[in-house]
Amino acid sequence: MAFEGEGTRVEQVMAAIRQRIAGRALQPGAKAPSIRAFAAAMGVSKSTVVEAYDRLTAEGVIQARRGSGFYVAGRAPPLALADIGPRLDRSIDPLWVSRQSLEARPDALMPGCGWLPTDWMPQDAVRRALRGLARAAHANLTDYSPPLGSPALRQLLSRRLAEHGVEAPPGQIMLTESGTQAIDLVCRFLLEPGDTVIVDDPCYFNFHAMLRAHRAKVIGAPWTPCGPDLEVFEQRLIEHSPRLYITNSGPQNPTGAQLSPVVAHRMLKLAERHGVAIIEDDIYADLEIEPAPRLAAFDGLDRVVHIGSFSKTLSAAARCGFIAARGGWIEDLVDLKVATSFGGGQLAAELTRAILTDSGYRRYLASLRERLARARGEALRRLRALGFEPWLTPQAGMFLWMALPPGLDAAPVAQRALAEGVVLAPGDAFSLSQSARGYMRFNVAQCADGRAYDVLERAMAL
Amino acid sequence: MAFEGEGTRVEQVMAAIRQRIAGRALQPGAKAPSIRAFAAAMGVSKSTVVEAYDRLTAEGVIQARRGSGFYVAGRAPPLALADIGPRLDRSIDPLWVSRQSLEARPDALMPGCGWLPTDWMPQDAVRRALRGLARAAHANLTDYSPPLGSPALRQLLSRRLAEHGVEAPPGQIMLTESGTQAIDLVCRFLLEPGDTVIVDDPCYFNFHAMLRAHRAKVIGAPWTPCGPDLEVFEQRLIEHSPRLYITNSGPQNPTGAQLSPVVAHRMLKLAERHGVAIIEDDIYADLEIEPAPRLAAFDGLDRVVHIGSFSKTLSAAARCGFIAARGGWIEDLVDLKVATSFGGGQLAAELTRAILTDSGYRRYLASLRERLARARGEALRRLRALGFEPWLTPQAGMFLWMALPPGLDAAPVAQRALAEGVVLAPGDAFSLSQSARGYMRFNVAQCADGRAYDVLERAMAL
């Protein structure tokens, strides 16, 4: 037991040194803190620091120089996302839910996963579109796409955006290989390492992971049932001069809340006053019943960049995302896309266009929304029976943000459930301030199998 | 005339300030050089600097503060690739050839383009594979792929790599959405802003554009018919301590030269001594006749990362690339891929696997190599008739690196040809040292149409 505790402390010291190197507080070639000083600073024994430094030396992270102490190795270690930013408990790492969901065995139950089950997706429409492409004499099956992406699909997206009040001519729309790649490109375009970015707390966990990769300083603003808490949001703007705010306008991930028009208006005024750019990630648009206001519609694509994709409702195997932004930005984003991924995704674009223009797609969406509403009611009933309470009852989308019974911590419950083959999404994965340990996100479409509730109940009882 | 010269000097001053801001020598909020000092430093009149500062102020790049001079605006301008690094002439910008080729009208002639004509690509095999996917009961048409990508395709790639002597078990192979994305991910993983990278001079122009996006310092080593010039290569390692070297091992882009085993061995020893990582971009592997040595085979995937893709021979509309690397790196690369593009490309992976395992693909490759050999002979004959001479006669691949008749500059020739709808690839687009203005790259597969030679001849005569 003593030895195990000792091991943990050694690892804490190792992690602290790695973090300083990753955060560039210790540059390559710099002298590491002395053993005596670091032992005092960390509140551990000198022998613990000696052991940690020895192991870091064996790993090549630091080097001992005879008689003069330890130095950071000549080269910074390669970028490991897990080492950047505050070290989080393994179960609430921003990548934990993604990787568990993506790696899950076919028979795993995944109430925590962020997408629809295979048999909820429009399989027949995709097969029909594939057959159509195989037949079409003029389909582009082998060539690169033009830099902005398929003109026909951009034309269609422009019309669809207009239905949401977003005026984006096809020349201001650039196709990408996914919504995630779209956000990543905009971050590459707008952010310098060290820039500050606001996210909602809670928000989609992958925003945290991606912003770490950009070496951004991430701060959170509490999310309310109508949008960001404007008082705190303004404070953050004044204190931190952020460059960028990333948010959802349709059903928010993970809470399902939708932005109100009044909050949208006031938030945009604050953003304008403080010179903040905004990414509006709108990938759940097709699940909405009462459309929320679009920031890009209010703002006229001035400081708002609008992101969409069809991975959630059409196919995540042939992905296609897009960016709508002001004209001058699109031109530079095209250069950046060509430099970092060249032009591609034409087949997915053709497939997407074929399905979007298939009259069956609107019918599929209508029945999907109804199916989600039924599944939401059923999941709410069964989770309430286990003592969960909804933070809000969403009008649309696939998520429920549920408070656990008082005193229960979502992380160990998720870990225990995982051991029984059930992937859950513990609240702190979504929360920058780590203040959501009493919450879990459930995907109502993935909650049909009663075994998930049995496993959840056992994991909560332990 | 005087006015035009003045305009050019004003733009030079503007470019110099923009470069300092892009390179962070002038941070946001910093005072710009005084008009007097900067006029002296640039060897221009004070009124030239005044005009340049006025225009930069109008653009919002700098701000005048009453009585105290000019300051860099509070926010760095967003990343525009064209502003990073030395300002190049528009016609030899690293993105020029890509964008002209990708944007070309369907009837344009593109001897400068880097891929095969549509009717050289395996259209029937792609159509067959699409029909097969539409039929297959268990094909994944709508789901995300696992983090490493399709296990079946990785298994196949592992076997194909073994044929080149590269031992990469499927767990050390990660699929990406393209070869370009693969290189970009490895750069994100290995590079810090400001790190130094060696490229071949000449090399694929997109390496320059991509490394700018990574804010890397790029240095070149002259490329010889057997690989890099080892004497200069070693000097560069000693002087600049680069982190990374990016190269091709199969037919090199743009010269078509292949690395010799002796140069490969010596270069790897130098890289090891100086702690340099290597990206081996092997996307032309399937065009080879006599296989070149693979760095990854010599090195055992220790410091070499091996990149491949099928965009050049199978489809650029459904792209699929991959990374083979040491085990510890793959795990971190997966995190980075999930964070910046999530898991995708499953449909392209299924399509790729279907075509690679179709016996027709090897037959297609065999006939493609023969067709390229014939086209090479024909293009050589016609270009020689115009006064071009090959730097080397490649054994494989689609490129010819041709010296123009003495005294001719490729850039204005390319610009004149573009005005007549012919996209050429001027040498300096590939050359970091800008020492290839007397060269052009020709794609022999895109040189069949006699009109291209007519336009070229006229453009050279002007």
Side-chain angles (χ1 to χ4, degrees):
Chain A
M1 201 57 188
F3 186 74
E4 217 179 295
E6 185 59 27
T8 305
R9 281 198 293 276
V10 169
E11 278 160 28
Q12 280 165 355
V13 173
M14 292 172 73
I17 292 292
R18 278 206 201 88
Q19 257 179 46
R20 284 169 202 216
I21 295 170
R24 312 299 270 182
L26 278 175
Q27 301 273 349
K31 194 170 189 304
S34 76
I35 287 167
R36 181 188 306 267
F38 209 51
M42 296 282 293
V44 298
S45 70
K46 282 190 284 179
S47 64
T48 300
V49 178
V50 168
E51 168 73 9
Y53 279 21
D54 276 349
R55 288 203 217 161
L56 288 169
T57 305
E59 287 179 22
V61 174
I62 59 177
Q63 295 166 331
R65 291 193 200 155
R66 197 186 302 259
S68 98
F70 292 84
Y71 290 79
V72 179
R75 287 266 146 232
L79 175 64
L81 287 185
D83 284 343
I84 301 179
R87 183 112 194 142
L88 301 174
D89 178 75
R90 171 69 188 141
S91 71
I92 43 170
D93 184 289
L95 288 162
W96 190 83
V97 180
S98 323
R99 299 247 353 219
Q100 298 304 346
S101 303
L102 292 170
E103 279 164 8
R105 298 156 45 99
D107 59 347
L109 300 174
M110 305 202 289
C113 134
W115 53 88
L116 297 175
T118 306
D119 59 3
W120 285 51
M121 295 292 278
Q123 305 290 339
D124 291 341
V126 175
R127 286 178 199 279
R128 210 156 44 233
L130 283 173
R131 282 195 302 269
L133 280 183
R135 268 196 314 268
H138 296 291
N140 174 359
L141 304 179
T142 58
D143 289 355
Y144 288 98
S145 54
L148 283 175
S150 155
L153 179 57
R154 287 185 292 111
Q155 197 89 44
L156 177 64
L157 293 176
S158 177
R159 287 201 301 274
R160 285 171 58 100
L161 286 170
E163 292 171 18
H164 282 290
V166 179
E167 278 182 55
Q172 275 176 247
I173 298 174
M174 179 177 86
L175 302 188
T176 63
E177 297 185 80
S178 63
T180 309
Q181 192 211 7
I183 298 173
D184 186 52
L185 276 172
V186 176
C187 286
R188 285 179 101 147
F189 173 59
L190 289 175
L191 298 181
E192 294 285 330
D195 274 353
T196 300
V197 179
I198 305 196
V199 297
D200 299 314
D201 191 346
C203 73
Y204 175 39
F205 44 76
N206 208 46
F207 291 164
H208 301 151
M210 184 191 288
L211 290 168
R212 281 186 190 189
H214 287 278
R215 295 151 215 269
K217 194 182 146 209
V218 187
I219 55 175
W223 180 255
T224 78
C226 322
D229 177 324
L230 289 173
E231 208 167 303
V232 181
F233 189 77
E234 183 170 17
Q235 268 175 26
R236 297 281 191 269
L237 298 185
I238 293 167
E239 282 169 28
H240 299 277
S241 303
R243 174 76 177 118
L244 180 66
Y245 170 46
I246 305 188
T247 190
N248 303 126
S249 44
Q252 198 245 8
N253 182 358
T255 63
Q258 289 178 239
L259 193 66
S260 85
V262 169
V263 173
H265 167 74
R266 293 195 186 156
M267 187 273 284
L268 281 169
K269 276 184 67 175
L270 290 172
E272 188 178 2
R273 190 177 316 146
H274 294 272
V276 182
I278 298 170
I279 294 178
E280 170 175 58
D281 175 17
D282 201 24
I283 61 164
Y284 295 102
D286 279 350
L287 298 179
E288 272 182 316
I289 290 167
E290 285 292 322
R294 259 50 192 180
L295 295 171
F298 277 49
D299 162 82
L301 288 180
D302 178 21
R303 65 182 57 255
V304 173
V305 178
H306 187 90
I307 303 290
S309 104
F310 301 93
S311 303
K312 302 303 176 195
T313 47
L314 195 153
S315 172
R319 291 160 87 204
C320 181
F322 65 90
I323 299 173
R326 57 198 287 181
W329 288 6
I330 284 289
E331 189 57 21
D332 288 326
L333 284 164
V334 166
D335 274 356
L336 202 50
K337 181 176 90 159
V338 171
T340 59
S341 74
F342 219 70
Q346 182 70 21
L347 192 86
E350 300 245 11
L351 202 73
T352 301
R353 194 176 74 88
I355 296 173
L356 290 179
T357 52
D358 181 330
S359 63
Y361 187 66
R362 281 192 193 253
R363 284 198 303 277
Y364 154 75
L365 284 182
S367 75
L368 173 61
R369 289 185 205 111
E370 277 173 32
R371 196 173 178 186
L372 281 170
R374 283 195 303 275
R376 191 180 308 118
E378 175 70 6
L380 264 175
R381 190 183 62 73
R382 299 183 80 156
L383 288 168
R384 275 199 167 112
L386 294 180
F388 284 88
E389 278 304 323
W391 179 76
L392 166 137
T393 305
Q395 303 197 338
M398 58 179 94
F399 298 129
L400 282 174
W401 183 240
M402 302 294 289
L404 281 86
L408 266 186
D409 184 344
V413 173
Q415 282 174 316
R416 281 179 224 128
L418 185 66
E420 295 199 55
V422 173
V423 176
L424 297 173
D428 273 353
F430 304 85
S431 170
L432 190 70
S433 62
Q434 300 286 285
S435 57
R437 61 171 50 200
Y439 288 85
M440 277 191 180
R441 184 191 73 180
F442 288 91
N443 178 343
V444 301
Q446 298 272 10
C447 281
D449 192 318
R451 287 174 300 165
Y453 298 95
D454 299 340
V455 169
L456 181 56
E457 187 168 19
R458 274 201 298 280
M460 289 164 70
L462 274 170
Chain B
M1 201 59 187
F3 186 73
E4 217 178 297
E6 185 59 27
T8 306
R9 281 198 292 277
V10 168
E11 277 160 27
Q12 280 167 353
V13 174
M14 292 172 72
I17 292 292
R18 276 205 203 90
Q19 258 179 45
R20 284 168 202 219
I21 294 171
R24 311 301 269 182
L26 279 175
Q27 300 273 350
K31 194 171 189 306
S34 77
I35 287 166
R36 180 189 305 268
F38 209 50
M42 297 281 294
V44 298
S45 70
K46 282 190 283 178
S47 64
T48 300
V49 179
V50 168
E51 167 72 10
Y53 279 20
D54 277 348
R55 288 202 217 162
L56 288 169
T57 305
E59 286 179 22
V61 174
I62 59 176
Q63 295 167 333
R65 291 196 199 152
R66 197 186 301 258
S68 99
F70 291 83
Y71 290 79
V72 179
R75 287 266 145 231
L79 175 64
L81 287 184
D83 284 343
I84 300 180
R87 182 115 195 140
L88 302 174
D89 178 74
R90 171 69 186 142
S91 71
I92 44 170
D93 184 289
L95 288 163
W96 190 83
V97 181
S98 323
R99 299 246 355 218
Q100 299 302 347
S101 304
L102 291 171
E103 278 164 8
R105 298 156 46 98
D107 60 347
L109 301 175
M110 304 202 289
C113 135
W115 51 89
L116 297 176
T118 306
D119 58 4
W120 286 51
M121 295 291 279
Q123 304 290 339
D124 290 341
V126 175
R127 285 179 199 279
R128 210 157 43 233
L130 283 173
R131 283 196 300 272
L133 279 183
R135 267 196 313 269
H138 297 291
N140 174 359
L141 304 179
T142 59
D143 289 356
Y144 289 98
S145 55
L148 283 175
S150 153
L153 179 56
R154 288 185 292 110
Q155 196 89 45
L156 178 64
L157 293 176
S158 177
R159 287 200 301 272
R160 285 171 58 99
L161 286 170
E163 292 171 18
H164 282 289
V166 179
E167 278 183 54
Q172 276 176 247
I173 298 174
M174 178 177 87
L175 302 188
T176 62
E177 297 185 78
S178 64
T180 309
Q181 193 212 6
I183 298 172
D184 186 52
L185 276 172
V186 176
C187 286
R188 286 179 101 149
F189 173 60
L190 288 175
L191 298 180
E192 294 286 330
D195 273 354
T196 300
V197 179
I198 304 196
V199 297
D200 299 314
D201 191 348
C203 72
Y204 175 38
F205 43 76
N206 208 47
F207 292 164
H208 301 149
M210 185 190 290
L211 290 168
R212 282 187 191 187
H214 287 280
R215 294 150 215 269
K217 193 180 147 210
V218 187
I219 56 177
W223 181 255
T224 80
C226 322
D229 176 324
L230 289 174
E231 209 167 303
V232 181
F233 189 78
E234 183 170 18
Q235 269 174 26
R236 297 281 191 268
L237 298 185
I238 293 167
E239 282 169 29
H240 299 277
S241 302
R243 174 77 177 118
L244 180 66
Y245 170 45
I246 305 188
T247 190
N248 303 125
S249 45
Q252 197 245 9
N253 183 357
T255 63
Q258 288 178 240
L259 194 65
S260 84
V262 169
V263 173
H265 167 74
R266 293 195 185 156
M267 187 273 285
L268 281 169
K269 275 184 67 175
L270 290 172
E272 186 177 3
R273 190 178 315 145
H274 294 272
V276 182
I278 298 171
I279 294 179
E280 169 175 58
D281 176 18
D282 201 25
I283 61 165
Y284 296 102
D286 279 350
L287 300 180
E288 272 181 316
I289 291 166
E290 285 293 323
R294 259 50 192 181
L295 295 171
F298 277 49
D299 161 84
L301 288 181
D302 178 20
R303 64 183 57 255
V304 173
V305 178
H306 186 90
I307 302 290
S309 104
F310 302 93
S311 303
K312 302 302 177 197
T313 47
L314 194 154
S315 172
R319 292 160 86 204
C320 181
F322 65 89
I323 299 172
R326 58 200 286 182
W329 287 6
I330 284 288
E331 188 58 22
D332 288 327
L333 284 165
V334 166
D335 275 355
L336 203 50
K337 181 176 89 160
V338 171
T340 59
S341 74
F342 219 71
Q346 182 70 20
L347 192 87
E350 300 244 11
L351 202 73
T352 301
R353 193 177 75 89
I355 297 174
L356 290 179
T357 52
D358 181 330
S359 62
Y361 187 66
R362 282 194 192 252
R363 284 198 303 276
Y364 153 76
L365 284 182
S367 75
L368 173 60
R369 290 185 204 111
E370 279 174 31
R371 195 172 178 186
L372 281 170
R374 284 195 303 275
R376 191 181 307 117
E378 174 71 6
L380 263 175
R381 190 183 62 72
R382 299 184 79 156
L383 288 169
R384 276 198 167 112
L386 293 182
F388 283 87
E389 279 303 324
W391 180 76
L392 166 137
T393 304
Q395 304 198 338
M398 58 179 94
F399 298 129
L400 282 174
W401 183 240
M402 302 295 289
L404 281 87
L408 265 185
D409 184 345
V413 172
Q415 282 174 318
R416 282 181 223 126
L418 185 65
E420 295 198 55
V422 174
V423 177
L424 296 173
D428 272 354
F430 304 85
S431 171
L432 190 71
S433 62
Q434 300 287 286
S435 56
R437 62 170 51 200
Y439 288 84
M440 277 192 181
R441 184 191 73 180
F442 289 91
N443 178 342
V444 302
Q446 298 273 8
C447 283
D449 192 318
R451 287 174 298 166
Y453 298 95
D454 300 340
V455 170
L456 181 56
E457 187 167 21
R458 274 201 298 281
M460 289 163 70
L462 274 172

